[in-house]
Amino acid sequence: MTHTNLYILGIESSCDDTAAAVIHNGKILSNVVASQEIHAQYGGVVPELASRAHQQNIVPVVHQALHGANIDKNQLSAIAFTRGPGLMGSLLVGTSFSKSLALALDIPLIDVDHMQAHILAHFIDEEGKTPPAFPFLAMTISGGHTQIVKVTDYFEMEVIGQTIDDAVGEAFDKSAKILGLPYPGGPLIDKYAQEGNPKRFKFPKPKVNPMDFSFSGLKTAVLYFVEKETKENPNFIEENIADICASLQKTIVDYLMDKLKNAVKKTGIKEIAIGGGVSANSGIRKALKDAESKYGWKTHIPKFEYCTDNAAMIAIVGELKYRQGLFTSSEVTASARLKY
Ligand code: KG4
Ligand code: ZN
């Protein structure tokens, strides 16, 4: 069965971004994200506040996505939503909203795994971009996850390496917090790093299995380093912020690249894609581009707005599942620890 004229609404509410997008035959017509500013003052996401903000945002965000796509809700073919993993209270808002809307419009409901969506975002139809060819390796690097996944088909994925403690985004955010930067600190470390000397300071790279990751030691190392240096010079951070950020970013990027190299060696697969919020990082983007000529890899880096949490990636999974007839019962419940 071929479906030529699909309009799918994607809804994402797993963490602190309320997002909605409309996809039409692989092309994104609208992609709306309401980020929740409220968490910055607490230095991290407060789950209770997140779910309340989702409740306030979801109707206007969906409305804006439909308006931006220039379609009426009655034209929708299906609703795709993030079922998990994520914060339970946040997931529940998107899940119950999607279930009700699908029921009201009498159209299919499609559940989406957030981490699969970060990977499948590469299949959004974009001018001048070729999607990854199967099999490929996907490194998903976000605030909640750090994994290397072997992808043999759209929905055939195997996790071959992962973090044993913190996610890489947490390593960025927690280090940034120690440096007195507001949440989320990842983009700020990236910004300061552009002006700094990456070779000035040395941070440790934790030793674990070749394709696994560990980041909790790095955060402790940053803490001790900052404590020691500020004892000698109370202005140490302000005077050296660019060099600290550049050195820290280099350590993390080199570590991620080491893990990818190990995975390529183990699997023989040189088709590489990245996804998740940390793939917005300029250091990892450059390292991957360089790997094309250096190691003969074919690399896929998502467009900026498809890196951090968004609903376009949920919508593309919705379309891929629709075309395979993979629908969800209206009995479906949110799952904070969903695993594929
Ligand atoms: O995928 P995402 O939006 O949400 C999760 O599912 O976790 O990822 C958010 C994470 C945060 O830790 C944020 O600091 C990090 O992505 N991030 C970055 C950059 N932009 C976002 N980390 C480093 N450099 C960036 N440019
Ligand atoms: Zn994410």
Side-chain angles (χ1 to χ4, degrees):
M1 189 170 37
T2 52
H3 305 276
T4 50
N5 215 18
L6 290 182
Y7 286 96
I8 295 182
L9 174 69
I11 292 179
E12 154 66 31
S13 75
S14 65
C15 188
D16 59 341
D17 294 300
T18 320
V22 176
I23 195 166
H24 175 55
N25 298 344
K27 285 201 161 55
I28 297 297
L29 300 184
S30 64
N31 184 28
V32 181
V33 184
S35 298
Q36 304 176 359
E37 308 298 335
I38 181 100
H39 307 288
Q41 57 187 287
Y42 298 97
V45 177
V46 185
E48 181 54 32
L49 296 178
S51 56
R52 209 176 303 162
H54 283 306
Q55 279 171 1
Q56 284 163 354
N57 292 343
I58 196 146
V59 172
V61 163
V62 167
H63 189 79
Q64 216 179 318
L66 290 171
H67 186 77
N70 203 16
I71 63 160
D72 185 82
K73 60 180 183 307
N74 293 311
Q75 285 171 268
L76 289 172
S77 321
I79 315 279
F81 69 99
T82 305
R83 182 177 172 216
L87 299 170
M88 197 52 172
S90 293
L91 291 166
L92 277 173
V93 178
T95 306
S96 33
F97 180 89
S98 303
K99 281 161 76 167
S100 325
L101 188 58
L103 197 68
L105 296 172
D106 196 21
I107 53 175
L109 186 65
I110 299 167
D111 70 321
V112 174
D113 179 305
H114 181 90
M115 297 312 294
Q116 282 194 341
H118 271 304
I119 296 172
L120 297 173
H122 287 282
F123 292 89
I124 292 171
D125 194 347
E126 279 179 75
E127 196 85 9
K129 196 172 175 293
T130 336
F134 299 114
F136 65 92
L137 295 177
M139 184 168 69
T140 45
I141 39 181
S142 75
H145 299 265
T146 307
Q147 297 181 328
I148 298 179
V149 183
K150 186 176 158 190
V151 187
T152 34
D153 205 339
Y154 295 117
F155 301 106
E156 271 174 47
M157 302 188 184
E158 184 195 349
V159 178
I160 58 170
Q162 58 193 321
T163 182
I164 59 163
D165 43 54
D166 290 351
V168 59
E170 276 180 286
F172 271 106
D173 296 339
K174 289 178 180 172
S175 302
K177 195 172 177 181
I178 295 167
L179 297 171
L181 302 173
Y183 175 86
L188 290 168
I189 291 191
D190 193 2
K191 189 173 142 234
Y192 286 116
Q194 322 270 333
E195 331 251 288
N197 173 3
K199 297 198 175 132
R200 171 98 182 274
F201 303 111
K202 289 268 167 292
F203 295 103
K205 288 196 218 163
K207 287 200 174 42
V208 285
N209 288 336
M211 295 188 292
D212 286 337
F213 305 80
S214 166
F215 289 102
S216 66
L218 181 63
K219 153 192 86 190
T220 317
V222 173
L223 182 67
Y224 289 158
F225 164 77
V226 165
E227 275 178 1
K228 181 172 162 283
E229 297 290 342
T230 46
K231 225 176 248 166
E232 288 163 27
N233 171 11
N235 298 325
F236 175 76
I237 295 181
E238 296 84 89
E239 287 169 12
N240 298 284
I241 188 76
D243 289 351
I244 302 171
C245 289
S247 303
L248 192 58
Q249 181 157 308
K250 179 177 166 28
T251 304
I252 296 176
V253 169
D254 285 354
Y255 190 60
L256 294 176
M257 289 303 290
D258 288 347
K259 299 299 175 175
L260 266 180
K261 279 184 243 172
N262 293 340
V264 169
K265 206 163 144 195
K266 175 97 202 250
T267 60
I269 298 171
K270 289 187 170 183
E271 185 98 12
I272 315 286
I274 56 167
V278 179
S279 43
N281 183 268
S282 61
I284 189 73
R285 293 172 90 88
K286 179 169 185 313
L288 274 177
K289 268 275 140 265
D290 292 349
E292 296 216 323
S293 53
K294 227 162 145 184
Y295 314 121
W297 296 0
K298 172 96 186 74
T299 64
H300 301 266
I301 304 169
K303 208 167 146 187
F304 222 67
E305 66 243 52
Y306 302 150
C307 287
T308 43
D309 286 350
N310 66 86
M313 66 182 193
I314 307 302
I316 182 67
V317 179
E319 182 170 326
L320 292 168
K321 282 196 162 182
Y322 193 109
R323 293 190 187 280
Q324 296 195 16
L326 299 171
F327 301 113
T328 311
S329 137
S330 59
E331 309 287 300
V332 66
T333 51
S335 169
R337 297 185 184 279
L338 187 65
K339 277 203 177 95
Y340 47 84

